[in-house]
Amino acid sequence: MHDFRYVDGHLHCEGLPVERLARKYGTPLYVYSQKTLEDHYGRLDAALAPLDSVICYAVKANSNLAVLRTFAELGSGFDIVSAGELERVVAAGGNPARCVFAGVGKTEAEIALALRRGIYAFNVESEAELVRIDRVAARLRKQAPVAVRVNPNIDAQTHAKITTGTYENKFGIAFENVLPLYQRAARLKHLRLRGIQMHIGSQLTEVKPFESAVRRVAPLAAALAEKYGIEFFSIGGGIGIVYESALASGQPDWWATPAAKGLLTPATYASKLVPLLRPLGLKILVEPGRFLVGNAGILVTRIEYVKQTGEKRFLIVDAAMNDLVRPAFYDAYHEILPLRCRCGVQALFDVVGPICESGDFFCRDRLLPAVDEGEYLALFSAGAYGAVMGSNYNSRPFPPEILVSERRADCVRRRQPLERIWEGERAASWQARPASGRRRPR
Ligand SMILES: *Cc1c(COP(=O)(O)O)cnc(C)c1O
């Protein structure tokens, strides 16, 4: 559910008309609702209350400092995957002692930084990584807290690019190799065996795969607690969100409506998992990314041209795949609606960006109200894996990000000035310098 809805025919984010933000900050533009962030966090936190649980927000889904700050203030921990994400969390006022560090390719420098910062645990993905962490910890005269990521070999039945819990992908340690690996790890003097972790994939819309994976791994977690005194079991992230009928999910009673039934809500998630997890008596970590931020953001774009070619009608907008790559990368669906509610005539449109790639599209043959050049559109549920996956392709600057809270709005990332795109580049030392360094357009 989210806080984007039409009031008097104008799409609002909480108490503000989005069009006002679009006019003030220009487009393309990301707009986030703080209340939605807090609501999703609160619902999950409440559902997991019967457990000794810690939510570790997966920073990679949306790493804007204001978003991180929102979760830090709610007492969230963080799931990080790089030195950059760790430093972002610190910059946002998050507590490194509540950070878990995931990823298959941690470098020595990243491990050293994380040890100096005093993170809660490394989620380890290979034996070679365990050995490396032990060596770096020895050098720094520290004990490194570790958890092994177990691959439970459960098919999450989601998109192939976001399935991680089967033996066909690069993640984790095969289930049957986990116990022997803890045996070896226990002999490494600078490691502290602190937990066990799993993560089977992203955008799971049913509880069943989570349940199967927890059933599989829980006895292993119990055995490790008994043998090595581990204190936590992290069940990963992956809780899916609603992308279709995004407008419906903006209704205040959405969580309670029949539409919500059968979908993965915090309540259904917890009702199946809490009974399996509670008897373990372990601290339970969850690492949601998309669930906490996905519905909390929209991408606002302006229609530059309406173009008709043969049978097809295109809306060419000022946002592109470099701003939101999910449709191109994952065949993802985003609900698209005009900021001004338009009833009446509908037609089939492709909404496309200006980039010279046929992959640069947001939807194909979608029934949309009759809209025109100069009007604004909102792409819903763009808060997760949106701005963070942006690039400067076609030398397009990163769009601004706005955080809204009730009737306040603040620009929490300014639009990237053009010359910042090539800041850090220069002609090679043997190349002649341009006649005049900086030419101003006349
Ligand atoms: C990406 C990732 C997450 C978050 O996934 P979501 O689908 O956004 O909840 C959590 N844990 C790990 C290890 C990840 O790689």
mmCIF file with all atom_site columns, all heavy atoms in Angstrom, residues 48-65:
data_model
loop_
_atom_site.group_PDB
_atom_site.id
_atom_site.type_symbol
_atom_site.label_atom_id
_atom_site.label_alt_id
_atom_site.label_comp_id
_atom_site.label_asym_id
_atom_site.label_entity_id
_atom_site.label_seq_id
_atom_site.pdbx_PDB_ins_code
_atom_site.Cartn_x
_atom_site.Cartn_y
_atom_site.Cartn_z
_atom_site.occupancy
_atom_site.B_iso_or_equiv
_atom_site.pdbx_formal_charge
_atom_site.auth_seq_id
_atom_site.auth_comp_id
_atom_site.auth_asym_id
_atom_site.auth_atom_id
_atom_site.pdbx_PDB_model_num
ATOM 1   N N   . LEU A 1 48 ? 6.436  -9.430  12.846 1.00 0.00 ? 48 LEU A N   1
ATOM 2   C CA  . LEU A 1 48 ? 7.512  -10.287 13.355 1.00 0.00 ? 48 LEU A CA  1
ATOM 3   C C   . LEU A 1 48 ? 7.725  -10.136 14.860 1.00 0.00 ? 48 LEU A C   1
ATOM 4   O O   . LEU A 1 48 ? 8.649  -10.727 15.427 1.00 0.00 ? 48 LEU A O   1
ATOM 5   C CB  . LEU A 1 48 ? 8.823  -9.967  12.612 1.00 0.00 ? 48 LEU A CB  1
ATOM 6   C CG  . LEU A 1 48 ? 8.805  -10.226 11.099 1.00 0.00 ? 48 LEU A CG  1
ATOM 7   C CD1 . LEU A 1 48 ? 10.085 -9.723  10.455 1.00 0.00 ? 48 LEU A CD1 1
ATOM 8   C CD2 . LEU A 1 48 ? 8.609  -11.710 10.799 1.00 0.00 ? 48 LEU A CD2 1
ATOM 9   N N   . ALA A 1 49 ? 6.839  -9.369  15.501 1.00 0.00 ? 49 ALA A N   1
ATOM 10  C CA  . ALA A 1 49 ? 7.007  -9.076  16.929 1.00 0.00 ? 49 ALA A CA  1
ATOM 11  C C   . ALA A 1 49 ? 7.122  -10.314 17.830 1.00 0.00 ? 49 ALA A C   1
ATOM 12  O O   . ALA A 1 49 ? 7.847  -10.269 18.823 1.00 0.00 ? 49 ALA A O   1
ATOM 13  C CB  . ALA A 1 49 ? 5.877  -8.170  17.420 1.00 0.00 ? 49 ALA A CB  1
ATOM 14  N N   . PRO A 1 50 ? 6.454  -11.440 17.484 1.00 0.00 ? 50 PRO A N   1
ATOM 15  C CA  . PRO A 1 50 ? 6.626  -12.613 18.355 1.00 0.00 ? 50 PRO A CA  1
ATOM 16  C C   . PRO A 1 50 ? 8.052  -13.173 18.360 1.00 0.00 ? 50 PRO A C   1
ATOM 17  O O   . PRO A 1 50 ? 8.381  -14.026 19.185 1.00 0.00 ? 50 PRO A O   1
ATOM 18  C CB  . PRO A 1 50 ? 5.665  -13.654 17.752 1.00 0.00 ? 50 PRO A CB  1
ATOM 19  C CG  . PRO A 1 50 ? 4.712  -12.874 16.903 1.00 0.00 ? 50 PRO A CG  1
ATOM 20  C CD  . PRO A 1 50 ? 5.458  -11.680 16.423 1.00 0.00 ? 50 PRO A CD  1
ATOM 21  N N   . LEU A 1 51 ? 8.883  -12.708 17.415 1.00 0.00 ? 51 LEU A N   1
ATOM 22  C CA  . LEU A 1 51 ? 10.261 -13.203 17.349 1.00 0.00 ? 51 LEU A CA  1
ATOM 23  C C   . LEU A 1 51 ? 11.206 -12.148 17.912 1.00 0.00 ? 51 LEU A C   1
ATOM 24  O O   . LEU A 1 51 ? 10.874 -10.969 17.973 1.00 0.00 ? 51 LEU A O   1
ATOM 25  C CB  . LEU A 1 51 ? 10.664 -13.457 15.885 1.00 0.00 ? 51 LEU A CB  1
ATOM 26  C CG  . LEU A 1 51 ? 9.819  -14.451 15.091 1.00 0.00 ? 51 LEU A CG  1
ATOM 27  C CD1 . LEU A 1 51 ? 10.199 -14.403 13.618 1.00 0.00 ? 51 LEU A CD1 1
ATOM 28  C CD2 . LEU A 1 51 ? 10.022 -15.864 15.640 1.00 0.00 ? 51 LEU A CD2 1
ATOM 29  N N   . ASP A 1 52 ? 12.412 -12.586 18.270 1.00 0.00 ? 52 ASP A N   1
ATOM 30  C CA  . ASP A 1 52 ? 13.479 -11.638 18.573 1.00 0.00 ? 52 ASP A CA  1
ATOM 31  C C   . ASP A 1 52 ? 14.057 -11.254 17.201 1.00 0.00 ? 52 ASP A C   1
ATOM 32  O O   . ASP A 1 52 ? 15.021 -11.842 16.742 1.00 0.00 ? 52 ASP A O   1
ATOM 33  C CB  . ASP A 1 52 ? 14.520 -12.336 19.456 1.00 0.00 ? 52 ASP A CB  1
ATOM 34  C CG  . ASP A 1 52 ? 15.729 -11.446 19.718 1.00 0.00 ? 52 ASP A CG  1
ATOM 35  O OD1 . ASP A 1 52 ? 15.649 -10.237 19.432 1.00 0.00 ? 52 ASP A OD1 1
ATOM 36  O OD2 . ASP A 1 52 ? 16.747 -11.980 20.204 1.00 0.00 ? 52 ASP A OD2 1
ATOM 37  N N   . SER A 1 53 ? 13.382 -10.298 16.529 1.00 0.00 ? 53 SER A N   1
ATOM 38  C CA  . SER A 1 53 ? 13.716 -10.047 15.118 1.00 0.00 ? 53 SER A CA  1
ATOM 39  C C   . SER A 1 53 ? 14.425 -8.718  14.915 1.00 0.00 ? 53 SER A C   1
ATOM 40  O O   . SER A 1 53 ? 14.249 -7.776  15.690 1.00 0.00 ? 53 SER A O   1
ATOM 41  C CB  . SER A 1 53 ? 12.443 -10.065 14.277 1.00 0.00 ? 53 SER A CB  1
ATOM 42  O OG  . SER A 1 53 ? 11.593 -8.998  14.656 1.00 0.00 ? 53 SER A OG  1
ATOM 43  N N   . VAL A 1 54 ? 15.235 -8.671  13.863 1.00 0.00 ? 54 VAL A N   1
ATOM 44  C CA  . VAL A 1 54 ? 15.887 -7.429  13.445 1.00 0.00 ? 54 VAL A CA  1
ATOM 45  C C   . VAL A 1 54 ? 15.673 -7.280  11.948 1.00 0.00 ? 54 VAL A C   1
ATOM 46  O O   . VAL A 1 54 ? 15.974 -8.199  11.180 1.00 0.00 ? 54 VAL A O   1
ATOM 47  C CB  . VAL A 1 54 ? 17.414 -7.455  13.711 1.00 0.00 ? 54 VAL A CB  1
ATOM 48  C CG1 . VAL A 1 54 ? 18.048 -6.123  13.295 1.00 0.00 ? 54 VAL A CG1 1
ATOM 49  C CG2 . VAL A 1 54 ? 17.715 -7.748  15.169 1.00 0.00 ? 54 VAL A CG2 1
ATOM 50  N N   . ILE A 1 55 ? 15.110 -6.145  11.543 1.00 0.00 ? 55 ILE A N   1
ATOM 51  C CA  . ILE A 1 55 ? 14.985 -5.852  10.117 1.00 0.00 ? 55 ILE A CA  1
ATOM 52  C C   . ILE A 1 55 ? 16.279 -5.203  9.673  1.00 0.00 ? 55 ILE A C   1
ATOM 53  O O   . ILE A 1 55 ? 16.700 -4.193  10.228 1.00 0.00 ? 55 ILE A O   1
ATOM 54  C CB  . ILE A 1 55 ? 13.786 -4.915  9.845  1.00 0.00 ? 55 ILE A CB  1
ATOM 55  C CG1 . ILE A 1 55 ? 12.471 -5.622  10.193 1.00 0.00 ? 55 ILE A CG1 1
ATOM 56  C CG2 . ILE A 1 55 ? 13.787 -4.450  8.390  1.00 0.00 ? 55 ILE A CG2 1
ATOM 57  C CD1 . ILE A 1 55 ? 11.224 -4.739  10.053 1.00 0.00 ? 55 ILE A CD1 1
ATOM 58  N N   . CYS A 1 56 ? 16.947 -5.834  8.687  1.00 0.00 ? 56 CYS A N   1
ATOM 59  C CA  . CYS A 1 56 ? 18.153 -5.239  8.104  1.00 0.00 ? 56 CYS A CA  1
ATOM 60  C C   . CYS A 1 56 ? 17.798 -4.812  6.688  1.00 0.00 ? 56 CYS A C   1
ATOM 61  O O   . CYS A 1 56 ? 17.790 -5.637  5.766  1.00 0.00 ? 56 CYS A O   1
ATOM 62  C CB  . CYS A 1 56 ? 19.309 -6.235  8.094  1.00 0.00 ? 56 CYS A CB  1
ATOM 63  S SG  . CYS A 1 56 ? 19.918 -6.635  9.735  1.00 0.00 ? 56 CYS A SG  1
ATOM 64  N N   . TYR A 1 57 ? 17.498 -3.540  6.523  1.00 0.00 ? 57 TYR A N   1
ATOM 65  C CA  . TYR A 1 57 ? 17.074 -3.028  5.214  1.00 0.00 ? 57 TYR A CA  1
ATOM 66  C C   . TYR A 1 57 ? 18.174 -3.252  4.167  1.00 0.00 ? 57 TYR A C   1
ATOM 67  O O   . TYR A 1 57 ? 19.328 -2.882  4.389  1.00 0.00 ? 57 TYR A O   1
ATOM 68  C CB  . TYR A 1 57 ? 16.729 -1.532  5.334  1.00 0.00 ? 57 TYR A CB  1
ATOM 69  C CG  . TYR A 1 57 ? 16.587 -0.851  4.007  1.00 0.00 ? 57 TYR A CG  1
ATOM 70  C CD1 . TYR A 1 57 ? 15.640 -1.292  3.080  1.00 0.00 ? 57 TYR A CD1 1
ATOM 71  C CD2 . TYR A 1 57 ? 17.407 0.217   3.639  1.00 0.00 ? 57 TYR A CD2 1
ATOM 72  C CE1 . TYR A 1 57 ? 15.519 -0.694  1.837  1.00 0.00 ? 57 TYR A CE1 1
ATOM 73  C CE2 . TYR A 1 57 ? 17.294 0.828   2.402  1.00 0.00 ? 57 TYR A CE2 1
ATOM 74  C CZ  . TYR A 1 57 ? 16.354 0.364   1.498  1.00 0.00 ? 57 TYR A CZ  1
ATOM 75  O OH  . TYR A 1 57 ? 16.244 0.954   0.267  1.00 0.00 ? 57 TYR A OH  1
ATOM 76  N N   . ALA A 1 58 ? 17.821 -3.857  3.052  1.00 0.00 ? 58 ALA A N   1
ATOM 77  C CA  . ALA A 1 58 ? 18.792 -4.117  1.975  1.00 0.00 ? 58 ALA A CA  1
ATOM 78  C C   . ALA A 1 58 ? 19.034 -2.822  1.196  1.00 0.00 ? 58 ALA A C   1
ATOM 79  O O   . ALA A 1 58 ? 18.238 -2.426  0.347  1.00 0.00 ? 58 ALA A O   1
ATOM 80  C CB  . ALA A 1 58 ? 18.289 -5.225  1.051  1.00 0.00 ? 58 ALA A CB  1
ATOM 81  N N   . VAL A 1 59 ? 20.162 -2.205  1.506  1.00 0.00 ? 59 VAL A N   1
ATOM 82  C CA  . VAL A 1 59 ? 20.479 -0.861  1.017  1.00 0.00 ? 59 VAL A CA  1
ATOM 83  C C   . VAL A 1 59 ? 20.471 -0.778  -0.504 1.00 0.00 ? 59 VAL A C   1
ATOM 84  O O   . VAL A 1 59 ? 20.127 0.247   -1.086 1.00 0.00 ? 59 VAL A O   1
ATOM 85  C CB  . VAL A 1 59 ? 21.856 -0.423  1.583  1.00 0.00 ? 59 VAL A CB  1
ATOM 86  C CG1 . VAL A 1 59 ? 22.324 0.877   0.972  1.00 0.00 ? 59 VAL A CG1 1
ATOM 87  C CG2 . VAL A 1 59 ? 21.780 -0.316  3.105  1.00 0.00 ? 59 VAL A CG2 1
ATOM 88  N N   . LYS A 1 60 ? 20.806 -1.898  -1.170 1.00 0.00 ? 60 LYS A N   1
ATOM 89  C CA  . LYS A 1 60 ? 20.924 -1.826  -2.628 1.00 0.00 ? 60 LYS A CA  1
ATOM 90  C C   . LYS A 1 60 ? 19.619 -1.469  -3.312 1.00 0.00 ? 60 LYS A C   1
ATOM 91  O O   . LYS A 1 60 ? 19.618 -0.977  -4.438 1.00 0.00 ? 60 LYS A O   1
ATOM 92  C CB  . LYS A 1 60 ? 21.502 -3.129  -3.187 1.00 0.00 ? 60 LYS A CB  1
ATOM 93  C CG  . LYS A 1 60 ? 20.570 -4.321  -3.151 1.00 0.00 ? 60 LYS A CG  1
ATOM 94  C CD  . LYS A 1 60 ? 21.245 -5.507  -3.873 1.00 0.00 ? 60 LYS A CD  1
ATOM 95  C CE  . LYS A 1 60 ? 20.292 -6.638  -4.161 1.00 0.00 ? 60 LYS A CE  1
ATOM 96  N NZ  . LYS A 1 60 ? 20.139 -7.571  -3.033 1.00 0.00 ? 60 LYS A NZ  1
ATOM 97  N N   . ALA A 1 61 ? 18.484 -1.672  -2.653 1.00 0.00 ? 61 ALA A N   1
ATOM 98  C CA  . ALA A 1 61 ? 17.189 -1.374  -3.287 1.00 0.00 ? 61 ALA A CA  1
ATOM 99  C C   . ALA A 1 61 ? 16.985 0.121   -3.483 1.00 0.00 ? 61 ALA A C   1
ATOM 100 O O   . ALA A 1 61 ? 16.388 0.558   -4.479 1.00 0.00 ? 61 ALA A O   1
ATOM 101 C CB  . ALA A 1 61 ? 16.047 -1.951  -2.454 1.00 0.00 ? 61 ALA A CB  1
ATOM 102 N N   . ASN A 1 62 ? 17.452 0.919   -2.534 1.00 0.00 ? 62 ASN A N   1
ATOM 103 C CA  . ASN A 1 62 ? 17.385 2.380   -2.649 1.00 0.00 ? 62 ASN A CA  1
ATOM 104 C C   . ASN A 1 62 ? 18.304 2.956   -1.582 1.00 0.00 ? 62 ASN A C   1
ATOM 105 O O   . ASN A 1 62 ? 18.004 2.866   -0.394 1.00 0.00 ? 62 ASN A O   1
ATOM 106 C CB  . ASN A 1 62 ? 15.956 2.897   -2.446 1.00 0.00 ? 62 ASN A CB  1
ATOM 107 C CG  . ASN A 1 62 ? 15.848 4.397   -2.678 1.00 0.00 ? 62 ASN A CG  1
ATOM 108 O OD1 . ASN A 1 62 ? 16.771 5.158   -2.378 1.00 0.00 ? 62 ASN A OD1 1
ATOM 109 N ND2 . ASN A 1 62 ? 14.722 4.835   -3.205 1.00 0.00 ? 62 ASN A ND2 1
ATOM 110 N N   . SER A 1 63 ? 19.417 3.525   -2.007 1.00 0.00 ? 63 SER A N   1
ATOM 111 C CA  . SER A 1 63 ? 20.446 3.908   -1.029 1.00 0.00 ? 63 SER A CA  1
ATOM 112 C C   . SER A 1 63 ? 20.489 5.408   -0.783 1.00 0.00 ? 63 SER A C   1
ATOM 113 O O   . SER A 1 63 ? 21.453 5.907   -0.197 1.00 0.00 ? 63 SER A O   1
ATOM 114 C CB  . SER A 1 63 ? 21.811 3.393   -1.486 1.00 0.00 ? 63 SER A CB  1
ATOM 115 O OG  . SER A 1 63 ? 22.121 3.890   -2.769 1.00 0.00 ? 63 SER A OG  1
ATOM 116 N N   . ASN A 1 64 ? 19.466 6.128   -1.205 1.00 0.00 ? 64 ASN A N   1
ATOM 117 C CA  . ASN A 1 64 ? 19.452 7.575   -0.938 1.00 0.00 ? 64 ASN A CA  1
ATOM 118 C C   . ASN A 1 64 ? 19.600 7.837   0.562  1.00 0.00 ? 64 ASN A C   1
ATOM 119 O O   . ASN A 1 64 ? 18.973 7.165   1.393  1.00 0.00 ? 64 ASN A O   1
ATOM 120 C CB  . ASN A 1 64 ? 18.153 8.191   -1.455 1.00 0.00 ? 64 ASN A CB  1
ATOM 121 C CG  . ASN A 1 64 ? 18.140 9.701   -1.264 1.00 0.00 ? 64 ASN A CG  1
ATOM 122 O OD1 . ASN A 1 64 ? 17.966 10.186  -0.148 1.00 0.00 ? 64 ASN A OD1 1
ATOM 123 N ND2 . ASN A 1 64 ? 18.347 10.435  -2.330 1.00 0.00 ? 64 ASN A ND2 1
ATOM 124 N N   . LEU A 1 65 ? 20.422 8.821   0.918  1.00 0.00 ? 65 LEU A N   1
ATOM 125 C CA  . LEU A 1 65 ? 20.706 9.072   2.337  1.00 0.00 ? 65 LEU A CA  1
ATOM 126 C C   . LEU A 1 65 ? 19.441 9.352   3.145  1.00 0.00 ? 65 LEU A C   1
ATOM 127 O O   . LEU A 1 65 ? 19.340 8.950   4.307  1.00 0.00 ? 65 LEU A O   1
ATOM 128 C CB  . LEU A 1 65 ? 21.673 10.253  2.491  1.00 0.00 ? 65 LEU A CB  1
ATOM 129 C CG  . LEU A 1 65 ? 23.113 10.070  2.003  1.00 0.00 ? 65 LEU A CG  1
ATOM 130 C CD1 . LEU A 1 65 ? 23.966 11.252  2.458  1.00 0.00 ? 65 LEU A CD1 1
ATOM 131 C CD2 . LEU A 1 65 ? 23.735 8.767   2.468  1.00 0.00 ? 65 LEU A CD2 1
#
